[in-house]
Amino acid sequence: MYSHAVRLICLAMCLPLQLSLATDNSYYSAGVVEYADETGTSKERVIKATAGFVALLESNDTSDLDILVFPEHVLNNGDYATFVPDPEKRITPCFSPDYELFLVEISCATRARNIYVVINVVEKELCGKDYGSDALNPCPASGVRLFNTNVVLDRRGRVISRYRKTHLWRREYYAMAVLRQPDLSTFETDFGVTFGHFICFDMLFYEPAMRLILEQNITDIIYPTYWFSELPFLSALQLQEGWAFANNVNLLAADGSNPGQRTTGSGIYAGRSGRQIAAIYQQPTVQLLKARLPKRSLGGVADPEVLPAFQPQSTTARHTGLLTFRDRNLDVFRTALLPEDFVNESQQLCHGSFCCNFQVERRPIPSTAEYAAYRYRLGAYLDNESTFILVDRSEQAVCAVFACLDEELASCGRIFPGHIAVANRYYFERIRIEAVFPAAQRRLIMPSTLDGSMRPLPVSQFNWTESPSAQLLSDTQVQLELLQPKNDLLTFGIWANYFSQVPTTHNLDHLQPIVLNARSSSVAIGSTSCLGLLLLALLLLQLR
């Protein structure tokens, strides 16, 4: 059992945050909530979650915020789906109560607190032959379709923005609808910041996430999620910080809290300046995280993170209460097992023509205890025979050092359970990884690091260089280097997403229109068969 009493996590010194205006300072105050699943019937869960959200809004802990973000999935469900008003109509559910009660209550609490609030809901919409949104899904026989939807409320409790999730988690496809053309949802605030927003799995795809940044120049992103962590590259905080770093944007990430089902990890990030606050938990919890973020348009600079001096330690904090998926892509990587007692290894490892150069140095830590210890492998990969968490096709390029339980590749991407005593027999003194990543029109290259506490390394602990910088249409040489010694590592690498365009139907044929010449976004996949196109042309001629 766990308590839903809210526990506030402050920044260093717990300095008070101050409400921001459009021009009076270079920062704004943000909060994200990690929120645990409620228990009971569908109705009881909605009632409890609504009360929890309202209690947070009414507490003094949120009185100094400009904006507050709640996670995906934890508020309502299909049994209590709500209509969501068209944002252009600027409707306030608090005094236009034509919606589910939870939306009305949260609108009122938002207006009373006088801050911007982002919630995630199951939205319902009427549909039929001549009405309803243009969705890939046919209209159900009930005449009601459901969306996984973000709703943004302004300081007056008005609905000012809505976003419907584009990339659903596999099981969602059986219940939720998807728009044929993805939303590109943004909203302006009275404190001078324009936000874009999307949901959970969307972060791994080009639309809408990258289009918000590259086409609309959005520098501040809202991200409700219910993320299922996967090792060694896609745990929650690891992906959030790496994505914010690679795009150099402010990111407000609010996650659900169900560690036993792989879900936890929320944070507030300032692009290349790194996380301002982030936390991941081993038990279901309700937590409010607060930080101030720089306004990019006014030249604000994020506060630097102060780290303690390094001390070699044989035993360090381990985060074993979070269940995780294992990345099955590792099984087709080109890998090399490092010797158990290695202190200095330099290798080039190639997957086809894509080569990663590694230099890894360690120093022993004296210990007399007989503890288990991780083994390490080097890995290289560039191809599209991979997936994101076995849900959607992916095309990745990866160079990484990652931990394994033993010498078998099948043990990589796993952690020792809590009942096994684990020691650091060595500490990492230096790691340098370098590779040339092929040019592509759609590509994102990010650092991917993780330690035993399931947190990425602070940005001050590594150096990242790209040459030429931010050029998609040029081959890019990337170097990642560990700057300070580190006791425990699960992952240290460079992870690139080439945004595969190979369609995935999720066993639901109607979700994918027939696409000719569907191909990958980079050099890793071959072009459409010329013979196939010739046969298609002959068929069309016969039909004329």
Side-chain angles (χ1 to χ4, degrees):
M1 296 298 293
Y2 56 88
S3 170
H4 271 198
V6 177
R7 295 180 294 275
L8 174 64
I9 299 180
C10 294
L11 290 173
M13 304 298 291
C14 290
L15 292 174
L17 305 176
Q18 301 209 349
L19 294 179
S20 171
L21 297 178
T23 59
D24 66 348
N25 65 58
S26 300
Y27 302 90
Y28 66 93
S29 301
V32 299
V33 178
E34 176 143 333
Y35 200 95
D37 291 300
E38 300 289 358
T39 58
T41 65
S42 294
K43 181 179 181 180
E44 289 168 344
R45 293 198 302 271
V46 174
I47 291 173
K48 290 178 183 178
T50 304
F53 281 31
V54 170
L56 270 164
L57 285 166
E58 291 179 344
S59 73
N60 290 332
D61 295 330
T62 57
S63 62
D64 52 1
L65 296 179
D66 292 302
I67 189 166
L68 179 64
V69 182
F70 288 93
E72 181 192 21
H73 183 65
V74 300
L75 179 55
N76 72 320
N77 48 65
D79 293 335
Y80 289 88
T82 185
F83 293 110
V84 174
D86 183 343
E88 293 185 2
K89 296 181 179 179
R90 292 296 196 262
I91 290 174
T92 305
C94 184
F95 61 82
S96 299
D98 301 318
Y99 308 93
E100 282 292 323
L101 183 57
F102 73 83
L103 184 57
V104 175
E105 290 191 53
I106 293 172
S107 170
C108 293
T110 298
R111 184 174 66 174
R113 175 48 70 204
N114 193 34
I115 62 175
Y116 289 82
V117 171
V118 183
I119 60 175
N120 175 270
V121 305
V122 177
E123 177 195 3
K124 63 183 177 183
E125 179 194 65
L126 299 179
C127 59
K129 181 180 178 182
D130 299 317
Y131 59 95
S133 299
D134 183 15
L136 287 173
N137 319 58
C139 183
S142 65
V144 178
R145 61 163 57 106
L146 302 179
F147 292 98
N148 181 335
T149 300
N150 284 346
V151 178
V152 182
L153 304 166
D154 70 5
R155 296 189 193 272
R156 295 171 58 185
R158 297 179 300 184
V159 174
I160 61 168
S161 184
R162 174 180 63 192
Y163 167 74
R164 292 163 171 172
K165 189 175 181 180
T166 303
H167 300 282
L168 303 180
W169 182 257
R170 178 182 285 270
R171 297 181 187 91
E172 286 185 291
Y173 277 98
Y174 293 92
M176 300 293 175
V178 176
L179 295 177
R180 194 175 302 276
Q181 295 297 324
D183 279 338
L184 288 181
S185 296
T186 64
F187 62 97
E188 297 179 0
T189 64
D190 61 9
F191 52 91
V193 176
T194 298
F195 290 90
H197 57 118
F198 51 84
I199 303 167
C200 200
F201 209 34
D202 290 326
M203 181 170 276
L204 292 175
F205 299 87
Y206 191 83
E207 291 183 310
M210 296 303 299
R211 289 186 62 197
L212 286 170
I213 295 167
L214 298 177
E215 296 178 14
Q216 301 201 15
N217 298 316
I218 299 298
T219 60
D220 294 73
I221 298 292
I222 301 292
Y223 182 59
T225 184
Y226 195 88
W227 187 262
F228 299 116
S229 284
E230 179 187 81
L231 296 181
F233 306 116
L234 292 179
S235 62
L237 301 186
Q238 180 182 20
L239 175 62
Q240 292 166 18
E241 184 152 1
W243 190 91
F245 181 96
N247 286 300
N248 195 23
V249 296
N250 294 337
L251 176 68
L252 282 61
D255 201 356
S257 188
N258 192 348
Q261 296 299 318
R262 304 178 176 90
T263 296
T264 175
S266 303
I268 300 174
Y269 308 87
R272 296 284 165 121
S273 297
R275 61 184 177 264
Q276 302 304 287
I277 188 169
I280 192 164
Y281 303 97
Q282 302 195 69
Q283 296 295 327
T285 188
V286 174
Q287 299 281 358
L288 169 64
L289 284 67
K290 306 199 301 184
R292 69 173 194 166
L293 282 171
K295 296 179 184 178
R296 300 304 182 95
S297 61
L298 297 181
V301 179
D303 296 325
E305 185 171 3
V306 179
L307 300 176
F310 172 76
Q311 292 290 334
Q313 294 177 288
S314 60
T315 58
T316 48
R318 294 192 302 128
H319 197 103
T320 61
L322 170 62
L323 187 66
T324 60
F325 286 112
R326 174 184 179 265
D327 186 351
R328 301 291 178 175
N329 301 319
L330 295 177
D331 302 331
V332 294
F333 277 31
R334 176 74 187 282
T335 70
L337 179 68
L338 296 178
E340 186 174 13
D341 59 352
F342 84 89
V343 293
N344 194 332
E345 283 287 330
S346 295
Q347 289 192 35
Q348 182 181 79
L349 195 63
C350 298
H351 185 267
S353 60
F354 176 67
C355 295
C356 307
N357 295 295
F358 298 91
Q359 185 174 350
V360 187
E361 298 178 17
R362 299 194 303 177
R363 296 291 177 264
I365 299 175
S367 175
T368 57
E370 290 298 324
Y371 289 168
Y374 285 104
R375 297 293 303 273
Y376 290 91
R377 279 184 181 265
L378 309 178
Y381 180 80
L382 171 59
D383 211 335
N384 69 344
E385 295 182 353
S386 54
T387 67
F388 295 135
I389 320 181
L390 299 180
V391 172
D392 270 285
R393 289 287 294 267
S394 71
E395 183 172 353
Q396 303 175 24
V398 185
C399 298
V401 182
F402 48 86
C404 311
L405 302 185
D406 54 41
E407 68 275 7
E408 297 295 328
L409 180 58
S411 75
C412 304
R414 306 184 193 276
I415 62 171
F416 285 108
H419 68 273
I420 294 180
V422 178
N424 306 308
R425 296 175 183 169
Y426 299 81
Y427 68 86
F428 289 86
E429 185 173 60
R430 183 170 182 261
I431 304 175
R432 185 174 66 190
I433 303 174
E434 191 171 43
V436 175
F437 287 77
Q441 289 186 333
R442 308 193 333 169
R443 182 190 67 184
L444 184 66
I445 311 172
M446 67 182 75
S448 182
T449 67
L450 194 69
D451 66 18
S453 66
M454 293 293 176
R455 291 170 174 80
L457 274 61
V459 297
S460 59
Q461 288 192 332
F462 63 84
N463 185 57
W464 173 272
T465 57
E466 300 173 43
S467 180
S469 178
Q471 295 295 317
L472 293 175
L473 300 182
S474 301
D475 290 353
T476 303
Q477 181 171 316
V478 181
Q479 184 182 98
L480 175 66
E481 186 170 12
L482 180 68
L483 295 178
Q484 300 178 12
K486 181 66 178 166
N487 283 304
D488 60 328
L489 275 180
L490 295 179
T491 307
F492 191 84
I494 307 169
W495 189 91
N497 188 350
Y498 277 78
F499 300 108
S500 174
Q501 296 181 67
V502 178
T504 306
T505 65
H506 301 95
N507 201 34
L508 298 171
D509 293 341
H510 64 267
L511 283 182
Q512 294 291 346
I514 296 174
V515 179
L516 299 180
N517 198 29
R519 64 187 301 273
S520 169
S521 56
S522 84
V523 295
I525 180 173
S527 61
T528 302
S529 167
C530 293
L531 177 60
L533 291 176
L534 178 60
L535 291 174
L536 178 60
L538 291 173
L539 176 61
L540 292 174
L541 286 173
Q542 289 180 346
L543 294 175
R544 293 182 59 182

